[in-house]
Amino acid sequence: MEHSQIREILANCELFRGLERRDVEKISKLCHIQSYEKGDEIFRQGDFGKHVYIIAEGHVFLERSMDLGTRKGKVTLGILGRGRAFGCWSTLLEAPHSLMSTAICQKSTKVLVMNGADLREMMIQNTEFGFHVLEKLCFLLRDRIHGAFGAMEKIQVILYKC
């Protein structure tokens, strides 16, 4: 993937859309590309996270494993495609955190990977840029919370049927 393609993906992704061209260029220098095959896990629930990912090609399911004593299962929290961001958001807040879901590729997938601490440093150095990213992150997390609540409602319905 060429550098110009990386910049295009970043400029159009949900987390960085609307940023100045120079900021997108700076972010692109933080990124490297990683490829996965269908069924590969990008990360696992419970792992310590430090990266933010942007989907360049493919689809990723965010799944949460549940252990309710005698019942165990998985629930899909989100289905993400090109331009969608995911990963360990707490690195942007300089807070250690274990990942709350597993990211599984549903087909061959390429992602842009960046270290969250490096992005945080850019945000600190340019507070206008940092505010823009945090504002986008708030909307993104709101949508993920809605997805998690929807998944919880499905689990509740299944439990009451048993």
Side-chain angles (χ1 to χ4, degrees):
M1 186 172 288
E2 294 180 23
H3 193 73
S4 61
Q5 291 173 300
I6 292 171
R7 285 192 312 266
E8 179 189 337
I9 291 163
L10 289 170
N12 292 306
C13 85
E14 62 187 339
L15 191 57
F16 302 124
R17 190 176 303 121
L19 285 178
E20 300 277 335
R21 187 176 177 96
R22 70 177 184 276
D23 292 328
V24 172
E25 177 63 32
K26 289 177 187 175
I27 297 167
S28 71
K29 292 176 182 175
L30 302 178
C31 297
H32 69 274
I33 299 163
Q34 211 156 329
S35 297
Y36 297 91
E37 295 302 318
K38 180 180 179 175
D40 286 350
E41 293 177 348
I42 296 173
F43 56 75
R44 256 184 132 13
Q45 180 178 324
D47 288 350
F48 180 76
K50 62 179 186 176
H51 294 103
V52 174
Y53 304 86
I54 309 293
I55 300 174
E57 298 173 12
H59 289 94
V60 173
F61 280 20
L62 296 178
E63 290 184 349
R64 174 127 176 115
S65 295
M66 307 291 288
D67 185 348
L68 304 171
T70 59
R71 299 185 191 278
K72 294 179 185 188
K74 295 179 183 177
V75 65
T76 300
L77 300 176
I79 302 169
L80 310 178
R82 183 179 170 96
R84 299 294 302 273
F86 63 103
C88 192
W89 307 117
S90 62
T91 60
L92 300 180
L93 304 173
E94 201 174 43
H97 185 70
S98 40
L99 296 159
M100 298 179 357
S101 62
T102 299
I104 302 170
C105 299
Q106 295 306 302
K107 62 182 188 176
S108 293
T109 299
K110 289 184 181 180
V111 295
L112 304 181
V113 182
M114 70 188 83
N115 185 305
D118 295 340
L119 181 58
R120 174 185 167 74
E121 188 57 36
M122 279 184 63
M123 293 165 64
I124 290 169
Q125 290 175 8
N126 179 344
T127 54
E128 184 177 339
F129 163 78
F131 179 81
H132 179 86
V133 173
L134 285 178
E135 184 177 49
K136 294 280 188 170
L137 179 61
C138 287
F139 288 116
L140 193 153
L141 293 176
R142 177 200 61 192
D143 293 345
R144 298 287 160 78
I145 289 169
H146 283 275
F149 283 155
M152 287 170 35
E153 289 170 359
K154 289 177 192 173
I155 291 170
Q156 193 174 29
V157 168
I158 291 168
L159 290 176
Y160 284 125
K161 286 184 178 180
C162 295

